[in-house]
Amino acid sequence: MSRESRTVMALVGVVVTMGALAWAAVPFYNWFCRVTGFAGTTQVAEKASDVVLDEVIRVRFDANVDPSLDWTFRPMQTRMDMKIGENGLAFYEAVNNSDETITGSASYNVAPEVSGYYFQKIECFCFTEQTLEPGERVEMPISFFVDPELVDDRDANWVRDITLSYTFHRTEPKQAALDAAAAENVN
């Protein structure tokens, strides 16, 4: 094999490797955030905490709507003072202000970011898409707790005030997207 051929093969190898790394970057980053709580990514718990401490933490609730979504979205309470480890139940309200059926999904994070690893959601409207008919109003619950291990983490033990923030984005309903893909395959 000539020197030029080896150079071309090496460059092709570099391009393929870079493409594979770029393709894997988003899923790897999402996994990393879920595991570590990085960037304020919250955790998902199977059940409520067995331990409740006699220390109070304040959870504030924030709501935002992407401009392309004609919804009103707000927390039904602005804050909750609760014991660390205690299960909390909060509600958000969404109203479809348009004259069409719209599906949305919520992205979320917590601040300060270091608290993401300890903010545990048991149930949340953010786990699934929400479809609202024209003019429909819904109350959406979130069941959560702050893991008592927070007080033992030297980087997070100072946290006693957490802000949970959601932003609703317009999405195509999964079933509609599947139907559209099936229709394209038939044609």
Side-chain angles (χ1 to χ4, degrees):
M1 186 183 291
S2 71
R3 182 176 178 194
E4 291 84 14
S5 296
R6 284 192 304 267
T7 301
V8 168
M9 293 301 286
L11 290 173
V12 167
V14 167
V15 169
V16 168
T17 300
M18 290 177 72
L21 290 173
W23 174 80
V26 171
F28 178 76
Y29 179 76
N30 288 337
W31 168 82
F32 177 78
C33 289
R34 279 193 314 273
V35 169
T36 65
F38 184 74
T41 302
T42 62
Q43 307 300 302
V44 177
E46 298 289 321
K47 62 182 183 77
S49 175
D50 295 333
V51 177
V52 177
L53 304 179
D54 198 25
E55 290 190 50
V56 174
I57 193 159
R58 174 172 287 158
V59 179
R60 298 176 193 273
F61 302 94
D62 179 52
N64 303 283
V65 179
D66 185 285
S68 68
L69 185 64
D70 191 13
W71 284 9
T72 300
F73 175 58
R74 69 175 186 87
M76 297 186 73
Q77 62 286 304
T78 57
R79 74 173 206 225
M80 290 176 75
D81 292 337
M82 53 195 288
K83 292 183 178 180
I84 295 175
E86 178 182 11
N87 193 58
L89 181 63
F91 289 88
Y92 280 76
E93 176 188 60
V95 179
N96 181 349
N97 300 313
S98 76
D99 58 358
E100 63 179 310
T101 301
I102 299 177
T103 299
S105 61
S107 61
Y108 54 87
N109 68 358
V110 295
E113 290 181 5
V114 69
S115 65
Y117 184 76
Y118 299 100
F119 196 94
Q120 304 281 331
K121 293 180 183 177
I122 299 168
E123 291 291 329
C124 182
F125 60 88
C126 61
F127 295 162
T128 59
E129 294 178 330
Q130 304 297 319
T131 300
L132 276 64
E133 299 295 324
E136 184 178 5
R137 176 194 166 275
V138 294
E139 292 181 9
M140 302 175 294
I142 171 175
S143 175
F144 66 95
F145 65 94
V146 177
D147 191 325
E149 291 183 12
L150 173 118
V151 299
D152 296 325
D153 183 333
R154 69 173 200 208
D155 295 326
N157 64 7
W158 56 270
V159 174
R160 293 299 179 271
D161 200 334
I162 297 175
T163 300
L164 175 62
S165 182
Y166 288 97
T167 301
F168 251 104
H169 305 274
R170 186 180 190 125
T171 58
E172 289 300 318
K174 284 191 169 57
Q175 189 57 48
L178 292 173
D179 293 346
E184 285 182 18
N185 290 336
V186 172
N187 295 330

